[in-house]
Amino acid sequence: MPLASVVSDLTRKKAEAEILLSEIQKKEKGVGNALLCTVLKSSIVLVLYNTVESTMYSVLEILHEKCQAKHFNELSDCQKEIFALMHFGKNGSKRYKENIELTISGELKFPSFESYSDGEKIFSGNLDARRINKILAVYGVRYSVDKAYGRSFLEVKTLRNKLAHGECSFSMACRNKLVTDIESMSGHIFTGLNNIVMHLNGHIRAMA
């Protein structure tokens, strides 16, 4: 999946979120729509968090594909650590000799993101700006989500988890939030994600 498709996907999801926001604004002008509007606001929170996870999955998948095309000696130190963890750590400890020989011959490749994430819990309902920064650092990517957007990433993650774990109902999660609050949150999430994708695009190009 090229990064251009990730950008395209982000653009589409942003448009979908804006449609939802527009509908809420229309409904709020009517009488007796308070409950519906609150539920819709909570639904947007889920859309935003799912967008964060799906975007990060896609960009890391592309990064892994790029690394898979390289011999072990061509990988960065951080990438070599991931390689070693996958093939010589807990997942490959019973095949040391074979894996060493396959690494030397170049037959053993950098793991796909799918196989790597099966063994290592990269993320699952815990993605906020701080976690994203830590994940990128594991790959040797120097990047920090803009602090101006960090609060929105944290709030979306927190609200999503309350909804997912049944701690809060859809009618309660965003009852004290204005449409403008949700709009601001949405804008921060999509701008923040787009910035991450653009930075990773430069990082991946530099790997060539």
Side-chain angles (χ1 to χ4, degrees), residues 9-184:
D9 193 46
L10 265 180
T11 301
R12 177 181 59 78
K13 289 177 178 176
K14 182 181 179 183
E16 291 172 352
E18 288 172 347
I19 289 172
L20 268 174
L21 284 165
S22 178
E23 285 302 308
I24 294 172
Q25 289 173 330
K26 292 176 185 176
K27 296 293 183 184
E28 281 195 329
K29 294 176 182 178
V31 178
N33 290 328
L35 178 59
L36 174 60
C37 291
T38 303
V39 170
L40 288 174
K41 289 174 190 175
S42 296
S43 298
I44 290 180
V45 168
L46 290 186
V47 168
L48 293 177
Y49 185 79
N50 289 342
T51 299
V52 172
E53 279 214 356
S54 64
T55 301
M56 287 304 298
Y57 189 98
S58 294
V59 295
L60 291 176
E61 193 173 41
I62 293 169
L63 183 55
H64 274 251
E65 287 173 359
K66 188 72 175 179
C67 291
Q68 283 182 297
K70 294 180 174 293
H71 188 279
F72 178 78
N73 291 334
E74 298 175 305
L75 298 173
S76 69
D77 288 343
C78 288
Q79 291 160 3
K80 285 177 180 177
E81 285 187 22
I82 293 173
F83 183 104
L85 177 64
M86 185 69 184
H87 298 305
F88 298 96
K90 61 184 179 183
N91 297 312
S93 58
K94 296 179 180 179
R95 302 177 60 190
Y96 275 131
K97 184 176 183 297
E98 181 182 352
N99 284 350
I100 288 172
E101 292 172 348
L102 291 173
T103 300
I104 294 171
S105 69
E107 293 179 65
L108 197 60
K109 299 295 183 182
F110 195 84
S112 66
F113 183 65
E114 182 179 7
S115 61
Y116 178 59
S117 58
D118 280 344
E120 296 294 316
K121 204 69 172 178
I122 310 301
F123 50 78
S124 179
N126 63 341
L127 274 185
D128 54 21
R130 181 178 295 181
R131 180 61 184 159
I132 289 171
N133 294 342
K134 286 183 177 179
I135 290 171
L136 294 177
V138 169
Y139 291 86
V141 179
R142 290 188 173 186
Y143 186 79
S144 292
V145 175
D146 194 313
K147 290 183 179 179
Y149 309 141
R151 182 176 178 180
S152 291
F153 274 84
L154 177 60
E155 192 165 15
V156 165
K157 181 199 76 171
T158 302
L159 285 171
R160 177 267 178 194
N161 286 342
K162 285 183 177 180
L163 288 165
H165 300 151
E167 296 175 31
C168 208
S169 67
F170 276 73
S171 60
M172 295 293 287
C174 295
R175 66 172 181 166
N176 294 322
K177 292 196 175 296
L178 302 173
V179 179
T180 51
D181 296 330
I182 304 296
E183 281 181 319
S184 176

